[in-house]
Amino acid sequence: MVDGKRKRGQKNPKKSTEEEEPSNSSASMDIENNGSDFATTEVTTKGVPLMDAVVKVFCVHSEPNFSLPWQRKRQYSSSSSGFIISGRRVLTNAHSVEHYTQVKLKKRGSDVKYLATVLAIGTECDIAMLTVKDDEFWEGISPVEFGSLPALQDAVTVVGYPIGGDTISVTSGVVSRMEILSYAYGSTELLGLQIDAAINSGNSGGPAFSDKGNCVGIAFQSLKHEDVENIGYVIPTTVINHFIEDYEKKEEYTGFPTLGIEWQKMENPDLRMSMGMSSHQKGVRIKRIEPTSPEYKVLKPSDVILSFDGIDIANDGTIPFRHGERIAFSYLVSQKYTGDNAIVKVLRDSKILEFNIKLQTRRRLISANIQGKPPSYYIVAGFVFAAVSVPYLRSEYGKDYEYNTPVKLLDKHLYAMAETEDEQLVVISQVLVSDINIGYEDIVNTQVLAFNDKPIKNLKDLASMVENCDDEYLKFELDYEQIVVLQTKTAKAATLDILSTHCIPSAMSADLKT
C-alpha cells in the first residue's frame, strides 16, 4: 500500500479510464492519417503482418442499477480493441467487457463477427481474457509475442480501433515514464508505462508494440487535464504476464496480493533514531495493519520494514529498479501470486526479526468492485438497505465521487479497515415513501450501526435479524445519532404493499435468500 492518500478536494490531475467507444456513436471521422503510412511498412513477425492479430471487440453491456438495485440499466453497446495471444486466446481491457451480456470479435479486414467467451476478468489490472470456439476465427493468424519492459525513450506504437472506426489506427510515441500508477478502473496501484502517443476512446485493449515488433503493453487509460496533452498509459508486460500465469495456474483469476499494511516514510533522522535504527539501516514504519490480512498475526504497528524477500527498502519506500531508476517496493509484492510466501525483515525494539508471510489479496471494507455480481439489497417498510461499494458510490455521486461523497462515508472509504472477512458497511440507501415511514423520508445513504441494540456485521446479517425479529419494535441505530423505530407487525405488513406500488419483485436480493 502506498504511503498516504489524496485528500478530498485536492486538485491533482486525475487519470481516467478510457471508456470503450459506443458503437452507435455519431462520430464518423476518418481514421488517423498515420495509420495509412504504417500500413505500407507493417512490422512483420515470421512473415505475417503483425497487425492482423489486432481485433475489434464489440460488447453489449447490461449494468446494474445501484440506486434501484432490483433492476438493471438500459443495455448499451460499445466497441474497443483487443489482440490475439497464444493458446487461442484474446486479451482486451476489463472495462471493455464489464457487465457484458454478449461479446463479439471481428478480425482485421473481415466482415464477420464471431461470438466470444469471456474466460477471466482481472478488475485490479484492467485485463480480460477471451476466446472464440469457431475454428475459422483462428485461421491465418499468428499470435502476438510479448517483449521485455521497454526503456525510457524507447519507441512504442499503439494499434487499435479508436473513435468507433472499422479500420485500424496507429499512433506512435516513446516511453516517457515508468512508475507505480493508479489504475482508475480497478482502484489499485500497479506498474504502468506512460507514453506520449494518443490513446483515444476505442483504443482500450489494443496492443502497444516496440520497434522490434513485440507487444510491450496494453493501452488502457489517459490523463484528462487541461494542462496536459497526449499522455497515455499502457499496462506493461510484467502485469500482463502475471494475469496470464495466474489464470493458467488456477484456471481462474485470483488477483494481485498486497502486504496488507499502511506505512510511513522514515526520512527524518530524529524519527529513525527514536525507532532505534542505526545509521546504516533504512526502511519504512508500519502505521496500520489490515485486521483481515495474514500479516496482522505477526507484524505490529511501529515495526520498521527493512527488506522484502531480501531486497532492501529505502527510507522513502523505494527499491532499485533499473539503472538510474527506483520504484515503490509495492512492485515486489505485486510480482507475487495469491498464496505465495515472502520473507519480511523488520526492526522491532532494536532487534531484527524475520517473518515468512503468506500473501493474500486485500479485503476492503468498501470493496472496489462486485465482481460482476448484481448488487445486494433488502427492503422493509420502504427502507432500502444496501452494502456500500465503490460502484455504489460512483452511481450515487458520479465519477467525481471522491469529492461529492458525504464526509463520513468518504472517511470510511479512504481509511476504514474491515475487522472481519464478511464485514460490510450497510446504509439506508433511500426511503420509498409510505404512510408507515412518515418523518423518515429524508434519510439517504446513512450508515446503519445496530439493530435492536445488536451491532450488524453485514447486509445479510441485518436482513436475517429483521426477518426473525419477534420484538414489538424494529429499532435501527444510524450514524449521526439517529434512530428509526417502527412497529414490527405493521412494518412487515406494509412491506408487500410498498413492493407492489414500486413494482419490486422481491424484498431482498437473491444472494440474501440462501
Side-chain angles (χ1 to χ4, degrees):
M1 182 178 299
V2 295
D3 181 29
K5 300 175 185 277
R6 180 165 53 84
K7 296 181 179 178
R8 187 170 182 261
Q10 187 172 332
K11 296 182 179 179
N12 283 346
K14 297 179 68 182
K15 302 181 186 71
S16 62
T17 303
E18 275 300 323
E19 293 297 335
E20 58 277 6
E21 177 69 16
S23 62
N24 58 357
S25 169
S26 60
S28 58
M29 62 185 69
D30 293 334
I31 299 299
E32 299 165 19
N33 293 332
N34 57 353
S36 59
D37 297 335
F38 188 88
T40 60
T41 58
E42 289 176 348
V43 180
T44 60
T45 301
K46 299 180 181 179
V48 178
L50 187 63
M51 289 193 297
D52 283 355
V54 182
V55 299
K56 189 170 183 178
V57 180
F58 299 87
C59 184
V60 178
H61 308 259
S62 180
E63 292 186 359
N65 188 337
F66 288 88
S67 299
L68 303 172
W70 49 87
Q71 64 185 32
R72 286 184 172 264
K73 297 180 181 178
R74 177 188 291 271
Q75 70 178 23
Y76 67 94
S77 301
S78 70
S79 67
S80 53
S81 307
F83 59 98
I84 295 170
I85 63 171
S86 61
R88 293 164 68 101
R89 298 170 296 185
V90 174
L91 292 185
T92 186
N93 280 148
H95 74 262
S96 297
V97 294
E98 67 173 337
H99 307 303
Y100 70 92
T101 55
Q102 185 184 76
V103 181
K104 293 181 180 180
L105 304 180
K106 188 172 77 170
K107 296 192 294 183
R108 181 188 182 199
S110 173
D111 60 347
V112 180
K113 296 177 182 177
Y114 297 86
L115 278 174
T117 301
V118 178
L119 298 176
I121 295 180
T123 306
E124 293 94 338
C125 57
D126 201 3
I127 305 175
M129 182 185 294
L130 320 174
T131 190
V132 174
K133 294 180 180 179
D134 194 330
D135 293 335
E136 183 181 73
F137 176 81
W138 306 101
E139 293 177 359
I141 300 295
S142 292
V144 164
E145 295 183 0
F146 292 106
S148 57
L149 279 175
L152 293 178
Q153 295 188 323
D154 277 1
V156 289
T157 303
V158 178
V159 183
Y161 293 87
I163 321 300
D166 288 324
T167 56
I168 275 182
S169 172
V170 179
T171 54
S172 300
V174 298
V175 176
S176 55
R177 180 178 293 172
M178 187 180 303
E179 62 181 350
I180 300 296
L181 296 175
S182 175
Y183 280 41
Y185 176 68
S187 299
T188 51
E189 294 185 333
L190 297 169
L191 184 66
L193 304 180
Q194 178 181 302
I195 62 174
D196 63 0
I199 295 179
N200 299 304
S201 296
N203 264 127
S204 294
F209 293 112
S210 68
D211 53 6
K212 295 180 181 179
N214 293 321
C215 176
V216 295
I218 303 175
F220 77 118
Q221 65 188 33
S222 63
L223 186 61
K224 298 291 188 183
H225 194 267
E226 59 185 7
D227 295 333
V228 298
E229 293 180 356
N230 282 359
I231 293 184
Y233 294 96
V234 171
I235 303 169
T237 50
T238 52
V239 177
I240 299 170
N241 289 333
H242 188 287
F243 169 82
I244 294 173
E245 291 176 19
D246 185 27
Y247 175 79
E248 291 175 344
K249 282 181 177 181
K250 303 171 184 177
E251 295 188 354
E252 64 176 350
Y253 171 73
T254 62
F256 287 74
T258 66
L259 197 51
I261 64 168
E262 289 182 0
W263 53 268
Q264 176 183 356
K265 295 179 181 179
M266 297 288 288
E267 295 176 309
N268 185 275
D270 293 340
L271 176 61
R272 292 198 300 272
M273 188 180 300
S274 71
M275 300 296 295
M277 297 176 67
S278 62
S279 58
H280 67 277
Q281 287 177 325
K282 296 181 180 181
V284 293
R285 172 185 172 268
I286 296 176
K287 295 194 296 184
R288 294 196 299 167
I289 307 169
E290 297 273 2
T292 58
S293 69
E295 294 81 2
Y296 190 77
K297 298 177 181 179
V298 292
L299 299 181
K300 295 181 179 180
S302 288
D303 281 352
V304 177
I305 301 180
L306 303 176
S307 67
F308 181 91
D309 260 358
I311 306 297
D312 291 338
I313 300 171
N315 291 323
D316 62 353
T318 63
I319 58 168
F321 186 51
R322 298 187 298 192
H323 178 71
E325 297 179 65
R326 299 189 68 86
I327 197 167
F329 83 93
S330 59
Y331 170 74
L332 296 176
V333 185
S334 68
Q335 292 299 100
K336 295 282 189 175
Y337 294 89
T338 303
D340 282 359
N341 284 51
I343 303 297
V344 177
K345 183 185 294 185
V346 303
L347 181 69
R348 180 187 298 169
D349 299 328
S350 300
K351 296 179 181 179
I352 296 177
L353 305 174
E354 279 193 0
F355 298 103
N356 191 349
I357 296 175
K358 187 176 183 179
L359 300 174
Q360 298 292 341
T361 54
R362 183 184 177 191
R363 168 69 179 91
R364 299 172 184 262
L365 177 62
I366 296 181
S367 58
N369 59 80
I370 58 172
Q371 304 295 341
K373 300 175 183 177
S376 301
Y377 71 91
Y378 175 65
I379 301 174
V380 64
F383 290 86
V384 181
F385 298 91
V388 179
S389 63
V390 171
Y392 177 87
L393 295 177
R394 190 178 287 118
S395 173
E396 289 288 295
Y397 301 105
K399 63 181 181 179
D400 292 328
Y401 68 92
E402 288 190 332
Y403 298 93
N404 301 326
T405 300
V407 172
K408 282 206 171 186
L409 280 183
L410 186 62
D411 179 71
K412 295 285 177 64
H413 167 53
L414 294 176
Y415 303 110
M417 293 180 171
E419 295 293 331
T420 60
E421 287 288 340
D422 59 352
E423 184 180 0
Q424 291 178 321
L425 193 153
V426 179
V427 296
I428 294 178
S429 172
Q430 60 176 309
V431 180
L432 305 174
V433 177
S434 174
D435 292 345
I436 191 68
N437 50 48
I438 288 175
Y440 299 128
E441 303 94 334
D442 296 333
I443 298 176
V444 177
N445 288 330
T446 304
Q447 184 180 358
V448 184
L449 303 176
F451 171 73
N452 284 3
D453 300 322
K454 295 180 181 178
I456 63 168
K457 295 188 299 181
N458 49 49
L459 186 57
K460 189 170 186 177
D461 181 45
L462 174 64
S464 177
M465 287 195 292
V466 175
E467 289 293 302
N468 297 318
C469 179
D470 294 325
D471 297 346
E472 183 179 0
Y473 294 103
L474 303 178
K475 178 184 176 184
F476 302 93
E477 296 178 32
L478 313 182
D479 214 347
Y480 306 104
E481 308 301 326
Q482 297 181 82
I483 61 170
V484 169
V485 179
L486 301 166
Q487 281 192 339
T488 303
K489 289 183 179 180
T490 54
K492 290 184 176 181
T495 300
L496 289 178
D497 289 337
I498 294 172
L499 295 179
S500 177
T501 300
H502 292 272
C503 302
I504 302 172
S506 175
M508 65 180 73
S509 53
D511 60 311
L512 300 184
K513 297 177 182 179
T514 56

